[in-house]
Amino acid sequence: MSNIVRIVPLRKMPRSMDYLDYLLPEKNQLIIGNVIEVPFRAKAILGLVVEFPKTSDIAPDKLKTIAIDPKVLLTIPCQQIDLAKKISEHYFYSLPGILRMMIPEIPKRVFKQSDANEQSGYKNMRIRRDATCHVSTKNIKKLAEQIFCSKDKKYLLFNYDSRLKYKLFIEMARRSIKANKQILFLFPTVSRMKNFLNFFPADLSDAAAVITAIATLGKNKRLALWQDIFSGKHKIIIGTRSALFFVFKNLGAIVVDDSHSIDYKNYDQNPRFHGSTVAKWLSAQHNSILLLTSCAPRIVDYFEAKNEKWKQIILGTADWQPQIVNSEDIYNARASKHLSFGLLDALQQTLNANQRSLLIVNRKGTATSLVCSDCGFVAICPNCNLPMSVADKNLQCFRCGQRQDILLSCPNCKGANLKQRGIGIEQVAKEVKKLYPNARLSIVCEDKDGDLSADIVIATAEILNKPSWPQFSLVGVVYADSALYLADYFASSRLYEFL
């Protein structure tokens, strides 16, 4: 055996220092995957053993020697190290940074296991104890059994019925426990995860762990949760994309719900990974079942599923027929400033039948900007450097919350020819109220919790993240093509996914 050990330091390091080499004492029992303390400058730091190279780039007389028989704090499987290396190479992020996401920090004062469980929030799962799903289970149980017994490992599920989908998830969880394997359920957002937890049966709660964000867990809580999952105590793991970085003992299946969602992409901080992509790698590492669910899969996922001949499953039926209306007829006939003849007729028919309608306008406020027609001045947010929207006779930035009184004259040329440009949800609501004065109207957006039982509900796209809403007989998307002009080369596919 080599007398050199290669250690990945579990602390923030320069990109060029992904590992450090040390000399081994004569008698040692270290193996790849051990987490130990190693000397670094004037103190000791945690490091992960990843290799025993025969030679080092550093001269042997300059290498430090680790302690004789160092205490092994944790041990990680080699396949988890391989996954960390793949993520590091693919997303150009340091290997120590990836491993620090996977390995919990060892606290100076470690609670007893029972104390840690009492203090950690993952035991209190917020599951409705009376939760039931009134759906026929015969075919769903059979489908779950086929998924686990089949030789096929990859599935693409087209879901048109959330209740059937959640029932399938629960049956898969029961099947995993029966096979003494773990199952990982991934959701794009916490709100989508809560929707599933509302259906989650109470008899499975003791076998489950819920993970939302690693950063919100304390050191003791994270260590206790990490140990429980790695030991196999928790057979059901439910979480957002951060749950991918836990170490699993016997992972039998991974379910990625709404795999098309943009929320699986870690946009705001490094590493900028995509949860669906990492889930595929994790599934390959454990040779586990991979199930992606979506009504409109990403082009990347569908292309891969088609080429690799994934099994496709359809739950429910799409009992709706979309209709695309050319908005030119609006301006030609001037029947309505923003709504087409077809949508107006459909709204009237729905009202006559005492049914509900939903109009989606993906812009808050009355107008998207305030512009001077004389000099071209645009009211800009001082914090975000973005155009401020007109809302409630004020100027407001919906990104940072900055508000100010609306301008009566242009601060640039002192002219009074200020125009409101663009369409907002309040502008559409005002027009609908004028066209249908007897209908009950409600506006629902992030800062307005309107009445979802109204005859006509006008909302932004955030309504789709609500845990429950009434049945709508008509859904109209106003100016849907505006999403095509966003600075995003996935704009067309994202619009398709949204619709």
Side-chain angles (χ1 to χ4, degrees):
M1 185 177 179
S2 172
N3 65 335
I4 300 174
V5 59
R6 186 154 291 169
I7 301 288
V8 174
L10 299 179
R11 57 167 291 170
K12 192 173 182 179
M13 299 288 287
R15 186 71 173 91
S16 59
M17 295 180 64
D18 277 355
Y19 61 87
L20 302 171
D21 287 348
Y22 291 87
L23 289 177
L24 281 169
E26 293 183 1
K27 295 181 179 180
N28 71 88
Q29 296 181 345
L30 293 179
I31 60 173
I32 293 176
N34 286 161
V35 176
I36 60 174
E37 283 192 344
V38 294
F40 181 75
R41 294 177 180 169
K43 58 183 179 179
I45 62 171
L46 291 182
L48 176 70
V49 179
V50 295
E51 191 181 351
F52 294 98
K54 294 183 179 179
T55 59
S56 173
D57 297 334
I58 309 299
D61 58 332
K62 294 184 178 180
L63 293 178
K64 292 185 177 182
T65 304
I66 64 173
I68 299 175
D69 194 20
K71 182 181 179 181
V72 177
L73 302 174
L74 296 171
T75 301
I76 305 193
C78 293
Q79 61 185 10
Q80 197 73 17
I81 300 174
D82 294 337
L83 177 63
K85 290 179 179 178
K86 189 163 188 174
I87 297 173
S88 172
E89 293 171 1
H90 187 82
Y91 292 106
F92 297 98
Y93 193 64
S94 68
L95 183 58
I98 299 294
L99 287 170
R100 282 191 298 129
M101 296 175 67
M102 294 181 173
I103 302 172
E105 187 176 352
I106 307 298
K108 294 180 179 179
R109 178 174 174 262
V110 181
F111 291 106
K112 294 181 180 178
Q113 187 67 20
S114 58
D115 295 334
N117 286 340
E118 290 174 4
Q119 294 196 15
S120 62
Y122 71 89
K123 290 289 286 182
N124 182 16
M125 293 174 45
R126 301 178 180 272
I127 294 175
R128 284 168 39 187
R129 295 294 168 180
D130 59 341
T132 55
C133 185
H134 303 288
V135 179
S136 175
T137 60
K138 184 177 180 181
N139 293 331
I140 295 297
K141 284 184 178 180
K142 185 177 179 180
L143 176 59
E145 193 70 24
Q146 289 176 347
I147 291 174
F148 275 86
C149 294
S150 174
K151 293 181 180 179
D152 298 298
K153 293 290 186 181
K154 297 181 179 180
Y155 296 86
L156 184 61
L157 187 147
F158 294 87
N159 166 61
Y160 300 105
D161 190 323
S162 295
R163 288 180 175 269
L164 285 177
K165 177 182 70 174
Y166 291 153
K167 194 62 183 178
L168 175 62
F169 289 178
I170 292 168
E171 292 302 326
M172 290 180 67
R174 294 188 188 278
R175 186 62 179 79
S176 291
I177 293 175
K178 185 179 178 181
N180 197 29
K181 292 186 177 182
Q182 293 175 315
I183 184 169
L184 171 62
F185 293 103
L186 290 179
F187 296 90
T189 60
V190 174
S191 61
R192 296 290 177 90
M193 183 177 68
K194 287 180 178 179
N195 292 348
F196 174 58
L197 292 181
N198 287 335
F199 286 83
F200 202 80
D203 62 300
L204 294 180
S205 61
D206 290 337
V210 177
I211 305 166
T212 53
I214 296 176
T216 60
L217 294 173
K219 294 180 182 179
N220 279 285
K221 293 179 183 179
R222 185 185 173 191
L223 178 61
L225 180 55
W226 189 92
Q227 290 172 336
D228 286 347
I229 293 176
F230 186 39
S231 66
K233 178 181 178 181
H234 291 300
K235 295 292 189 293
I236 306 170
I237 298 91
I238 306 169
T240 53
R241 61 179 182 262
S242 59
L244 288 163
F245 293 91
F246 279 77
V247 183
F248 304 93
K249 182 180 181 181
N250 188 12
L251 189 59
I254 302 174
V255 177
V256 184
D257 189 38
D258 290 337
S259 59
H260 62 271
S261 175
I262 194 175
D263 293 298
Y264 280 115
K265 180 68 176 179
N266 200 43
Y267 277 109
D268 54 349
Q269 59 184 344
N270 286 322
R272 302 182 187 275
F273 67 95
H274 196 287
S276 183
T277 302
V278 177
K280 293 174 186 177
W281 296 340
L282 183 63
S283 172
Q285 291 279 354
H286 289 266
N287 192 29
S288 60
I289 296 167
L290 176 66
L291 176 69
L292 304 185
T293 80
S294 176
C295 293
R298 293 191 306 156
I299 295 175
V300 174
D301 293 336
Y302 188 76
F303 179 81
E304 186 175 346
K306 187 176 180 180
N307 282 0
E308 297 182 5
K309 298 181 179 180
W310 292 19
K311 289 292 182 182
Q312 296 186 12
I313 304 170
I314 300 176
L315 280 184
T317 56
D319 54 355
W320 45 268
Q321 185 63 41
Q323 181 182 0
I324 300 176
V325 179
N326 190 340
S327 60
E328 287 184 358
D329 66 338
I330 302 175
Y331 303 108
N332 293 336
R334 292 290 178 181
S336 169
K337 188 176 181 181
H338 303 296
L339 308 180
S340 67
F341 281 131
L343 185 54
L344 291 173
D345 289 342
L347 280 170
Q348 188 62 60
Q349 292 175 15
T350 306
L351 288 172
N352 293 339
N354 293 323
Q355 296 174 339
R356 296 186 182 93
S357 301
L358 170 66
L359 296 180
I360 296 179
V361 184
N362 229 4
R363 284 285 185 270
K364 297 178 185 178
T366 305
T368 55
S369 61
L370 185 68
V371 181
C372 177
S373 299
D374 296 331
C375 67
F377 165 82
V378 180
I380 298 295
C381 173
N383 301 327
C384 306
N385 201 31
L386 294 173
M388 298 187 75
S389 301
V390 180
D392 297 327
K393 297 181 180 180
N394 291 301
L395 290 176
Q396 182 173 353
C397 175
F398 290 108
R399 182 171 184 177
C400 68
Q402 175 78 19
R403 291 179 69 98
Q404 65 184 58
D405 294 336
I406 195 166
L407 299 174
L408 300 178
S409 62
C410 175
N412 190 25
C413 68
K414 310 303 179 184
N417 197 12
L418 294 173
K419 300 292 184 182
Q420 297 180 13
R421 301 286 174 83
I423 178 178
I425 190 171
E426 293 175 4
Q427 192 176 155
V428 175
K430 184 178 179 180
E431 182 174 308
V432 171
K433 186 62 178 177
K434 183 178 179 181
L435 293 169
Y436 307 101
N438 297 325
R440 292 186 300 119
L441 184 67
S442 176
I443 297 178
V444 180
C445 56
E446 186 178 359
D447 50 358
K448 290 185 179 180
D449 294 327
D451 183 11
L452 289 176
S453 63
D455 297 328
I456 302 176
V457 176
I458 304 178
T460 57
E462 284 145 359
I463 191 176
L464 302 177
N465 293 326
K466 285 188 173 292
S468 62
W469 57 81
Q471 186 72 34
F472 293 106
S473 300
L474 171 68
V475 177
V477 182
V478 183
Y479 293 120
D481 59 339
S482 62
L484 294 174
Y485 303 102
L486 298 175
D488 184 354
Y489 58 86
F490 282 125
S492 57
S493 62
R494 296 205 196 289
L495 176 60
Y496 171 68
E497 292 161 4
F498 168 72
L499 295 176

